[in-house]
Amino acid sequence: MSSHPIPTRVVLLAGPSGSGKSSLAALTGLPVLHLDDFYKEGDDPSLPAVEGSADVDWDSPGSWDAEAAVAAIAELCATGRTTVPVYDIATSARVGREPLDFGGAPLFIAEGIFAADIVARCAELGLLADALCLRGRPSTTFRRRLLRDLREGRKSFPFLLRRGWRLMRAERAIVARQSALGARPCTKPEALTRLRTTEAGAQGASCAPA
């Protein structure tokens, strides 16, 4: 008996900034595509601004290149390989490109705050295995996000504080919006269980006899 290859599929992992998407994705051991690398550059004239402020609204889908992200996902699903931009959040600039090779894995995770915005497109293209949205306590998310962003020097402290308070107040609405776009809301343990089940199904299918 011989095995036959099955198409690679993607799990889109969404959630508010600081909700733990990257750490959860790393915990699974699955290949990961970081969707933050598809942010637009800081001098892009199409970048949206926060209402009533001069700050760029990096939490708006308008700050992100959804078309390029979907193209990379489609290429990974078709060939297991692609080339992605390397984005430096501190300077709001793409600083290079790097190859990704997922080695024929039947499942991978694409994680980022805009992952829910491409659920419909990935489903339409037949690429989607599942779509999840991490949810938690807004105060916990606020602390985790601020500490991470300060540690990594992502932006100035005043900017991060303004953004943090704004996102904390909006967190439940963010989760509701991402859920409406097709990402299932769940806690981190719930998401891990669901990912393990999806992974087991994908691995089982890849070993099915021809």
Side-chain angles (χ1 to χ4, degrees):
M1 268 189 200
S2 63
S3 62
H4 67 278
I6 64 165
T8 298
R9 294 289 183 263
V10 63
V11 175
L12 295 173
L13 182 58
S17 175
S19 57
K21 298 178 294 299
S22 296
S23 60
L24 174 61
L27 189 60
T28 68
L30 290 167
V32 180
L33 173 66
H34 298 291
L35 296 176
D36 282 358
D37 283 322
F38 295 92
Y39 267 117
K40 296 177 182 178
E41 295 195 86
D43 59 357
D44 191 312
S46 68
L47 283 172
V50 175
E51 186 175 356
S53 169
D55 290 342
V56 172
D57 189 354
W58 296 108
D59 299 289
S60 165
S63 68
W64 185 69
D65 191 344
E67 185 176 342
V70 171
I73 289 170
E75 190 169 14
L76 284 167
C77 287
T79 70
R81 301 178 180 87
T82 194
T83 301
V84 298
V86 178
Y87 194 88
D88 180 41
I89 291 178
T91 60
S92 304
R94 295 179 181 182
V95 295
R97 296 185 66 81
E98 66 178 3
L100 285 184
D101 187 340
F102 288 170
L107 191 72
F108 69 95
I109 294 172
E111 63 88 12
I113 64 172
F114 303 123
D117 288 85
I118 57 174
V119 169
R121 183 59 178 150
C122 287
E124 178 186 339
L125 293 172
L127 311 176
L128 189 66
D130 203 356
L132 308 176
C133 172
L134 288 185
R135 59 177 175 83
R137 296 171 64 92
S139 59
T140 300
T141 306
F142 171 83
R143 290 193 298 271
R144 183 189 295 125
R145 176 175 54 241
L146 185 60
L147 289 172
R148 176 203 65 193
D149 291 351
L150 289 172
R151 182 176 65 249
E152 297 179 6
R154 292 191 170 194
K155 301 291 180 186
S156 70
F157 178 71
F159 178 93
L160 294 175
L161 199 57
R162 290 194 302 271
R163 176 179 182 249
W165 283 115
R166 185 174 70 251
L167 290 180
M168 186 172 70
R169 294 193 299 270
E171 181 157 330
R172 289 185 174 86
I174 291 169
V175 171
R177 176 183 177 274
Q178 294 184 358
S179 300
L181 289 170
R184 179 186 180 93
C186 46
T187 64
K188 193 170 182 177
E190 291 168 343
L192 184 59
T193 297
R194 192 172 176 95
L195 281 162
R196 294 298 191 204
T197 300
T198 304
E199 180 185 12
Q203 290 177 342
S206 69
C207 297

